[in-house]
Amino acid sequence: MARAKRVDGVPRWRRNGGTRVRGRSDGKRFDAAGTGLAAAGPRLDAAGRRLDSAGRRLGAGDLGAALGERATLVQFSTAFCAPCRATRRILAEVAGMVPGVAHVEIDAEHRLELVRALDVLKTPTVLVLDAGGRVVRRAVGLPRKADVIAALGEAV
């Protein structure tokens, strides 16, 4: 492995023509506090148009299920995704523990228009919605139970 090059104070290595941040090779985004669920901040294209779901409101018609009274955990998954099964168990357990929280699982293969609108690139992707259906947090990959509970604390 080549010598680390510091960019903005973060050590980066070049491997096989690509650059990777030290310690992060799984593609997950983390918030500043390191809780594992990144804040849904806006990503803009060259023309300044929003690319992702930050600030977007989702309703029962979009999800195909009713929103929770206090918050909703939305999971995008596919049939062949092994981490999606573990994510389903974690989110169902958290939704059962916290009153007023609903868990909605969406098959990404059958809801491509919603997947494209929300910029879902990998499964499982978890969105945390507040009571009004606004996307508050977003995570890609298998979340930890503690991270989901912390994200719900922000939504409720």
Side-chain angles (χ1 to χ4, degrees):
M1 188 173 303
R3 182 178 162 98
K5 175 183 173 186
R6 289 195 171 268
V7 178
D8 298 327
V10 177
R12 297 175 187 269
W13 279 267
R14 296 205 38 91
R15 175 191 279 174
N16 299 332
T19 303
R20 94 178 165 90
V21 177
R22 180 180 187 178
R24 297 301 317 168
S25 61
D26 58 4
K28 288 186 181 178
R29 297 184 328 158
F30 285 84
D31 65 348
T35 60
L37 294 173
R43 289 187 353 197
L44 306 175
D45 65 5
R49 292 183 298 251
R50 188 181 302 260
L51 288 177
D52 68 1
S53 58
R56 178 173 175 168
R57 293 193 183 275
L58 299 174
D62 295 324
L63 301 177
L67 293 173
E69 294 174 12
R70 298 175 66 197
T72 306
L73 300 169
V74 180
Q75 174 188 350
F76 287 91
S77 58
T78 53
F80 57 86
C81 170
C84 294
R85 286 173 275 208
T87 301
R88 180 183 314 122
R89 284 191 298 272
I90 291 170
L91 296 181
E93 186 176 331
V94 171
M97 286 179 6
V98 182
V101 174
H103 171 225
V104 177
E105 186 174 3
I106 297 174
D107 187 357
E109 296 176 47
H110 293 105
R111 301 291 306 275
L112 288 176
E113 72 288 343
L114 187 60
V115 166
R116 289 183 183 121
L118 296 173
D119 195 30
V120 174
L121 302 176
K122 296 179 182 179
T123 57
T125 295
V126 178
L127 303 177
V128 179
L129 309 179
D130 63 7
R134 187 176 61 89
V135 178
V136 177
R137 292 277 186 187
R138 173 186 192 113
V140 177
L142 180 63
R144 295 182 320 182
K145 186 174 176 181
D147 296 337
V148 175
I149 293 170
L152 278 175
E154 182 179 326
V156 221

